């Protein structure tokens, strides 16, 4: 799967950290054994976080900035540890109108049919991994709500180099919150990420927004032991919702028919491209008048 940078329109190649390690873990018998016994377990992420929160980890910051070509101005900031650097706050530009990108990362959008199945264009997705079928019911650990039929599922994939704080994409209130325990598998494209979405630790919220009902879910991944949310009852578009600890991670949102996604993102998804987007930019709009 390739990535299109929305701003430039060019196909880009994403630099992946620990690519050889991931290949070993997911494509060899011994690797899968280590993955099952150690790396995908929450305690492994907790142990690793002790190092990343220590001053000893500061040495990793410079090489990380260089590898991912991040703003060199970050080197002038006095971070206490690599974890402090990774969860840093940055100034973000928020569009005044429309439905916003909740995070920076790679975005794919799937149409939800009236039958509750996922589609890319007119093609129905059949997601089966090692004999197990994965669908929205497994993701939510509950039946797909009726209002979601005919809407969209948005899938944000955050790599290590992406900004790991996220915002509210619109104004509304939280109606229900649910934590789902699970493993911490990788969400890399070559690591069976549909399985990760349905089996990983995740936090799910049901919202009533200015454009109707929607679902928002943060999904932990390998090395991401903690999802930090501010847990606001009422929120406004562009406000920070929370952040992830070190590691790759994902966010899933489900919106109803009242929200339409911008055509360029839908076309990229149909062509099996991920779209690189920036937090706070418009990615859609409401089709009904605000309440």
């Amino acid at each position: 799967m390739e990535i299109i940078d929305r701003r430039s329109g060019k196909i880009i190649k994403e630099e992946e950290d620990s690519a050889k390690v991931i290949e070993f873990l997911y494509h060899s018998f011994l690797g899968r054994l280590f993955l099952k016994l150690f790396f995908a377990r929450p305690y492994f992420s907790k142990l690793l976080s002790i190092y990343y929160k220590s001053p000893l980890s500061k040495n990793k910051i410079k090489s990380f900035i260089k590898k991912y070509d991040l703003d060199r101005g970050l080197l002038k900031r006095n971070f206490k540890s690599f974890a402090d650097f990774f969860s840093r706050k940055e100034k973000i530009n928020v569009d005044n109108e429309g439905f916003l990108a909740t995070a920076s990362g790679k975005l794919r959008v799937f149409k939800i049919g009236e039958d509750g199945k996922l589609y890319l264009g007119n093609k129905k997705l059949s997601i089966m991994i090692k004999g197990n079928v994965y669908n929205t019911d497994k993701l939510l650990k509950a039946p797909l709500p009726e209002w979601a039929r005919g809407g969209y599922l948005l899938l944000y994939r955050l790599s290590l180099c992406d900004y790991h704080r996220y915002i509210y994409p619109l104004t509304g209130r939280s109606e229900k919150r649910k934590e789902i325990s699970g493993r911490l598998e990788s969400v890399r494209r070559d690591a069976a990420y549909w399985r990760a979405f349905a089996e990983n630790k995740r936090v799910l919220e049901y919202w009533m927004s200015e454009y109707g009902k929607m679902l928002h879910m943060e999904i932990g991944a390998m090395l991401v032991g903690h999802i930090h949310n501010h847990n606001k009852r009422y929120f406004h578009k562009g406000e920070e919702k929370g952040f992830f600890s070190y590691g790759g991670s994902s966010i899933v949102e489900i919106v109803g028919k009242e929200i339409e996604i911008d055509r360029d993102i839908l076309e990229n998804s149909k062509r099996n491209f991920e779209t690189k987007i920036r937090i706070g930019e418009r990615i859609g709009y409401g089709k009904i008048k605000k309440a």
Side-chain angles (χ1 to χ4, degrees), residues 144-157:
L144 181 73
E146 285 297 320
W147 56 260
R149 296 174 186 268
Y152 293 101
L153 184 146
L154 289 74
L155 171 56
Y156 293 84
R157 187 176 62 85

Side-chain angles (χ1 to χ4, degrees), residues 6 260-268 270 283 285:
R6 193 184 193 195
E260 185 59 46
I261 304 302
D262 288 341
R263 182 170 295 276
D264 64 314
I265 296 174
L266 292 178
E267 287 300 319
N268 289 344
K270 282 183 188 179
I283 59 169
Y285 59 93

Side-chain angles (χ1 to χ4, degrees), residues 16 19 22-23 26-27 157 186-193:
E16 293 278 14
I22 294 294
E23 184 178 356
Y26 283 89
H27 299 285
R157 187 176 62 85
S186 172
V187 295
R188 283 171 51 109
R189 290 165 291 162
D190 59 354
Y193 68 19

Side-chain angles (χ1 to χ4, degrees), residues 73-272:
L74 291 170
L75 294 171
K76 299 178 182 180
R77 293 172 60 175
N78 187 26
F79 295 109
K80 298 177 182 177
S81 64
F82 184 79
D84 186 33
F85 157 77
F86 190 81
S87 61
R88 67 193 179 277
K89 272 197 174 189
E90 295 180 357
K91 184 178 180 180
I92 61 173
N93 296 315
V94 176
D95 286 345
N96 293 324
E97 300 295 331
F99 178 64
L100 304 183
T102 196
S104 292
K106 277 63 66 178
L107 175 64
R108 293 182 79 195
V109 178
F110 303 87
K111 182 69 176 176
I112 302 175
E114 295 296 338
D115 58 0
K117 307 297 183 182
L118 296 180
Y119 289 79
L120 276 176
N122 296 321
K123 182 181 178 182
K124 184 188 293 188
L125 294 185
S126 179
I127 306 160
M128 182 175 289
I129 302 170
K130 293 186 177 180
N132 295 311
V133 176
Y134 291 88
N135 52 32
T136 54
D137 290 3
K138 285 196 174 182
L139 175 72
L140 304 175
K141 290 284 187 181
L144 181 73
E146 285 297 320
W147 56 260
R149 296 174 186 268
Y152 293 101
L153 184 146
L154 289 74
L155 171 56
Y156 293 84
R157 187 176 62 85
L158 282 65
S159 302
L160 289 176
C161 56
D162 291 315
Y163 185 55
H164 270 64
R165 289 181 179 262
Y166 42 91
I167 63 172
Y168 292 101
L170 36 59
T171 296
R173 67 176 183 271
S174 179
E175 304 266 283
K176 180 183 176 182
R177 183 174 183 273
K178 180 170 69 172
E179 293 191 15
I180 302 174
S181 60
R183 297 158 62 85
L184 292 173
E185 298 265 10
S186 172
V187 295
R188 283 171 51 109
R189 290 165 291 162
D190 59 354
Y193 68 19
W194 283 106
R195 179 177 64 191
F197 300 146
E199 296 182 0
N200 278 15
K201 173 183 176 181
R202 50 205 187 275
V203 178
L204 170 64
E205 290 188 17
Y206 293 79
W207 295 346
M208 175 58 75
S209 77
E210 56 187 326
Y211 296 123
K213 295 181 178 180
M214 70 170 285
L215 278 162
H216 175 98
M217 177 186 293
E218 297 98 17
I219 303 174
M222 188 179 295
L223 309 182
V224 184
H226 297 285
I227 299 168
H228 309 267
N229 279 317
H230 301 318
N231 296 328
K232 294 182 178 180
R233 168 70 167 142
Y234 297 93
F235 50 84
H236 293 279
K237 179 164 60 179
E239 289 181 337
E240 184 178 288
K241 184 182 186 300
F243 63 94
F244 292 104
S245 294
Y246 176 75
S249 41
S250 295
I251 292 174
V252 170
E253 292 179 333
I254 294 177
V255 300
K257 298 177 182 178
E258 297 82 8
I259 291 177
E260 185 59 46
I261 304 302
D262 288 341
R263 182 170 295 276
D264 64 314
I265 296 174
L266 292 178
E267 287 300 319
N268 289 344
S269 295
K270 282 183 188 179
R271 294 163 57 204
N272 211 29

